[in-house]
């Protein structure tokens, strides 16, 4: 019976072809016959709309899917795509895409979803509103601050690129104070004053000490400026003085240059620059020191014209107006007790009193002063004057000049409220910041040193150190200068005696090496030219250890692009960010 029907279908097809009926009509009729006789199962149809969910939403007036229309001349090919009839039955958009076995999915990627959205617009809008309400759940600002303040410095810079709100939130004074007081800060070393192709590049190289990664910061404001000094106050870096060429802008040219008075402040946390009040005298390479003072600090200017200073000789000093009160300390060192402080009338211990006042004061109201002494003037002459900058009033004030016979200052640092300076003639002096005058300090004979290398003073947690280069005798041959070494010395502030603390592992190839003290660590950078190449070594020493051992934290990472002039113009600062 079934075979007879197929035979009838074929004969009907031949008859229709004989009548020159169009192939399109033949296909349509043939499909209907097959469905009628075989009871073929059609596509799934959306009963509510009469549209197949497996066909595209491209329909003509006569009905039928217009995607993938068959152009094959072969009649009855089950693999080819088919068109629906243009009869009245096609107006219901019921598509005929073949049997279940040979059906072809006419939907391309994403079209089915768009079709559903079009015919279910209200349901889609409701679902979309629910999804958006879940996505736009915001954290409170205080909780967000607690999360962002714990990020490392590099991750914090990346987080600021997320949105304007995060950028604003991480640059407010409240957020910066939270990060400054929190335990999540890590040391960063900033290298200034690098030279490329004879020009001051204006770039800052920053090293994340904890990760050992270098970062480059563009500082166009420093282009053409060289021979300046830097100092760190909390999380800011002060750039003081310097020179710039008058004939060829940007080059390190000392033949015709201008000496600056201006002071710039760089904030690494916000990558912003601003200017503060300028110095009274133009200086290049001044010696800087930073000290924290009480909120009611006032500089004593009664001794500005006096050029002499009191002295301390070998542990015995004038008790009168001596801040260290050395004679009384030696007399009562065995009987002194914190509970019997009345045994020392009129005694003023800067080491303990100042720390107590600092702890009692609010952290957000801390007050710092910046001292600048020495350096070279506008005519390249050595200066013996000094100035002090008060961050609260944004003013520079002149301080008492150094003694005439002191010599040229080559290094200085603030330690326990005293600004210690060292001269090229191996003299040591201290400036009492609270009282406003200089004190000459005569220590035990200092070991011989190589005079081409200037000593560097460093302070770590109230301890005064100095790095100097001296000849070392080796191989058991007494009197033979075998090699030069860089040694770390510590000064006993009680008895004014020097003692060797450590020996630097590298040979002293850089006569202008930079060293900075930070808490219990001493950071040092050496840069020199050898065999036509510029080499750099960054080392750190932990003075809290018994042996004060040195270790390398970076080698030859930044000097492949720099000139030899960078060895002379470089300067280093360390911050906790």
């Amino acid at each position: 019976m079934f075979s007879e029907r197929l035979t009838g279908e074929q004969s009907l097809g031949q008859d229709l072809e004989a009548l020159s009926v169009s192939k399109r009509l033949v296909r349509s009729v043939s499909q209907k016959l097959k469905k009628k006789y075989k009871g073929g199962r059609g596509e799934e149809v959306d009963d509510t709309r009469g549209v197949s969910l497996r066909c595209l939403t491209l329909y003509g007036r006569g009905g039928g899917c217009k995607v993938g229309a068959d152009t094959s001349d072969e009649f009855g090919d089950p693999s080819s795509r088919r068109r629906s009839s243009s009869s009245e039955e096609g107006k219901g958009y019921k598509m005929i895409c073949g049997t279940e076995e040979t059906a072809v999915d006419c939907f391309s990627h994403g079209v089915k979803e768009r079709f559903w959205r079009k015919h279910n617009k209200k349901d889609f809008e409701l679902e979309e509103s629910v999804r958006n309400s879940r996505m736009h759940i915001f954290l409170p600002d205080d909780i967000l601050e607690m999360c962002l303040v714990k990020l490392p410095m590099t991750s914090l810079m990346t987080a600021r690129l997320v949105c304007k709100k995060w950028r604003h939130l991480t640059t407010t004074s409240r957020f910066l104070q939270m990060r400054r007081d929190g335990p999540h800060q890590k040391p960063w070393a900033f290298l200034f004053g690098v030279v490329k192709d004879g020009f001051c590049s204006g770039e800052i190289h920053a090293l994340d000490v904890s990760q050992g990664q270098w970062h480059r910061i563009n500082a166009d404001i420093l282009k053409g400026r060289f021979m300046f000094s830097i100092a760190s106050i909390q999380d800011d870096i002060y750039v003081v003085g310097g020179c710039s060429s008058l004939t060829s802008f940007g080059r390190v040219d000392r033949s015709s240059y201008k000496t600056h008075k201006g002071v710039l402040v760089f904030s690494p946390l916000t990558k912003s620059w601003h200017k503060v009040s300028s110095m009274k005298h133009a200086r290049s390479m001044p010696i800087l020191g930073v000290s924290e003072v009480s909120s009611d600090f006032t500089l004593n200017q009664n001794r500005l014209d006096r050029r002499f200073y009191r002295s301390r000789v070998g542990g015995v000093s004038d008790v009168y107006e001596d801040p260290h009160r050395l004679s009384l300390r030696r007399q009562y060192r065995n009987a002194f007790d914190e509970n019997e402080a009345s045994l020392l009338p009129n005694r003023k211990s800067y080491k303990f009193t100042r720390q107590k006042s600092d702890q009692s004061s609010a952290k957000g109201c801390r007050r710092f002063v910046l001292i600048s002494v020495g350096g070279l003037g506008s005519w390249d002459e050595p200066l013996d004057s000094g100035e002090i900058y008060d961050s609260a009033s944004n003013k520079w004030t002149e301080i008492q000049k150094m003694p005439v016979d002191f010599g040229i200052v080559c290094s200085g640092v603030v330690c326990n409220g005293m600004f210690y300076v060292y001269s090229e003639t191996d003299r040591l002096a201290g400036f009492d910041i609270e009282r406003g005058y200089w004190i000459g300090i005569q220590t035990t004979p200092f070991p011989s040193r190589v005079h081409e290398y200037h000593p560097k003073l460093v302070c770590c947690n109230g301890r005064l150190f100095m790095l100097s280069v001296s000849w070392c005798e080796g191989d058991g041959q007494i009197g033979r200068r075998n090699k030069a070494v860089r040694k770390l010395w510590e000064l006993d502030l009680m008895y004014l005696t020097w003692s060797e603390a450590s020996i630097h592992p590298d040979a002293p190839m850089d006569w202008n090496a930079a060293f900075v003290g930070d808490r219990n660590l001493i950071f040092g950078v050496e840069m020199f030219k050898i065999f036509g190449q510029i080499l750099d070594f960054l080392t750190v020493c932990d003075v809290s250890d018994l042996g004060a051992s040195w270790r390398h934290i970076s080698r030859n990472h930044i000097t492949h692009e720099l000139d030899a002039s960078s060895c002379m113009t470089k300067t280093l600062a360390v911050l906790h960010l």
Side-chain angles (χ1 to χ4, degrees), residues 470-485 507-508:
S470 58
W471 293 106
C472 179
E473 299 175 354
D475 298 334
Q477 300 179 7
I478 301 176
R480 181 179 178 180
R481 294 179 174 179
N482 192 18
K483 62 179 180 179
V485 295

Side-chain angles (χ1 to χ4, degrees), residues 502-564:
S502 178
I503 299 179
H504 198 279
D506 298 330
M509 302 295 292
D510 185 6
W511 64 271
N512 191 35
F515 294 92
V516 178
D518 180 75
R519 300 180 183 179
N520 282 327
L521 302 178
I522 298 178
F523 293 87
V525 58
E526 297 183 72
M527 192 180 299
F528 53 90
K529 183 177 182 179
I530 185 172
F531 302 125
Q533 295 182 349
I534 307 297
L535 304 180
D536 70 282
F537 299 94
L538 196 64
T539 54
V540 63
C541 177
D542 189 353
V543 297
S544 62
D545 296 340
L546 185 60
S549 59
W550 292 84
R551 61 183 177 90
H552 291 85
I553 56 178
S554 178
R555 294 174 185 242
N556 304 327
H557 282 275
I558 57 175
T559 51
H560 60 281
E561 302 176 350
L562 307 184
D563 292 353

Side-chain angles (χ1 to χ4, degrees), residues 208 240 259 364 520 549 571 573:
D208 185 356
V240 182
T259 307
N520 282 327
S549 59
T571 181

Side-chain angles (χ1 to χ4, degrees), residues 224 226 242-246 253 256-261 282 284 377-378:
F226 58 94
C243 301
S244 59
S245 177
L246 295 176
D253 184 11
S256 177
Y257 61 91
K258 174 187 176 181
T259 307
H260 295 281
K261 301 179 181 179
S284 62
S378 300

Side-chain angles (χ1 to χ4, degrees), residues 261-486:
K261 301 179 181 179
V263 180
L264 303 173
V265 181
F266 172 61
S267 178
L269 283 176
T270 59
K271 290 186 178 180
S272 60
W273 290 85
H274 68 274
K275 294 182 179 181
V276 296
S277 178
S278 299
M279 295 184 294
K280 296 183 178 296
H281 302 280
R283 302 173 188 268
S284 62
M285 299 301 293
I287 307 300
L288 303 180
V290 177
S291 177
E292 185 174 358
V293 296
S294 59
S295 58
D296 55 349
F297 166 78
T298 55
L299 181 64
N300 191 342
Q301 297 180 326
N302 296 331
R303 300 180 175 88
L304 290 180
D305 298 332
R306 299 171 61 178
R307 299 297 299 273
F308 65 88
Y309 57 93
R310 293 170 176 79
S311 62
R312 295 180 55 187
V313 182
V316 179
S317 64
D318 298 330
V319 178
Y320 181 69
E321 289 190 352
D322 184 3
H324 291 277
R325 302 291 182 182
L326 182 63
S327 300
L328 292 178
R329 284 190 178 187
R330 295 185 62 185
Q331 181 180 355
Y332 293 101
R333 73 174 188 269
N334 295 327
F336 177 72
D337 187 4
E338 292 183 358
N339 298 327
E340 299 176 358
S342 60
L343 293 176
L344 302 180
N346 299 326
R347 177 182 179 272
K348 186 176 182 180
S349 174
Y350 280 74
K351 184 174 181 180
F352 298 101
T353 305
R354 183 168 285 108
Q355 290 180 356
K356 183 177 180 181
S357 61
D358 291 346
Q359 295 175 359
S360 61
S361 60
K363 291 184 178 181
C365 302
R366 300 172 68 180
R367 186 178 178 185
F368 294 86
V369 293
L370 173 64
I371 307 174
S372 174
V373 299
L376 301 177
S378 300
W379 302 98
D380 211 17
E381 76 281 5
L383 300 177
D384 59 356
S385 62
E387 306 175 45
I388 186 169
Y389 171 76
D390 187 0
S391 59
S393 60
N394 192 27
K395 291 183 180 180
W396 286 89
T397 306
E398 291 190 68
I399 61 176
Q400 181 185 4
K401 291 185 177 181
M402 291 179 292
V404 179
D405 58 345
F406 183 73
I408 301 176
V409 181
C410 62
S411 180
V413 69
V414 174
C415 185
N416 296 328
M418 183 76 67
F419 182 40
Y420 293 92
V421 292
Y422 199 89
S423 69
E424 296 180 358
T425 57
D426 295 331
R427 292 175 178 267
L428 182 65
F431 179 76
D432 191 327
I433 300 175
E434 292 279 352
R435 304 192 178 193
Y437 60 79
W438 291 93
I439 298 175
I441 303 173
Q442 298 185 16
T443 64
T444 56
F446 189 78
S448 60
R449 65 177 182 87
V450 181
H451 289 274
E452 287 78 6
Y453 296 84
H454 296 159
K456 304 294 182 180
L457 293 178
V458 178
C459 178
C460 290
N461 282 352
R463 301 166 62 186
L464 184 62
F465 296 90
M466 182 169 66
L467 291 105
S468 65
V469 176
S470 58
W471 293 106
C472 179
E473 299 175 354
D475 298 334
Q477 300 179 7
I478 301 176
R480 181 179 178 180
R481 294 179 174 179
N482 192 18
K483 62 179 180 179
V485 295
R486 194 185 303 273

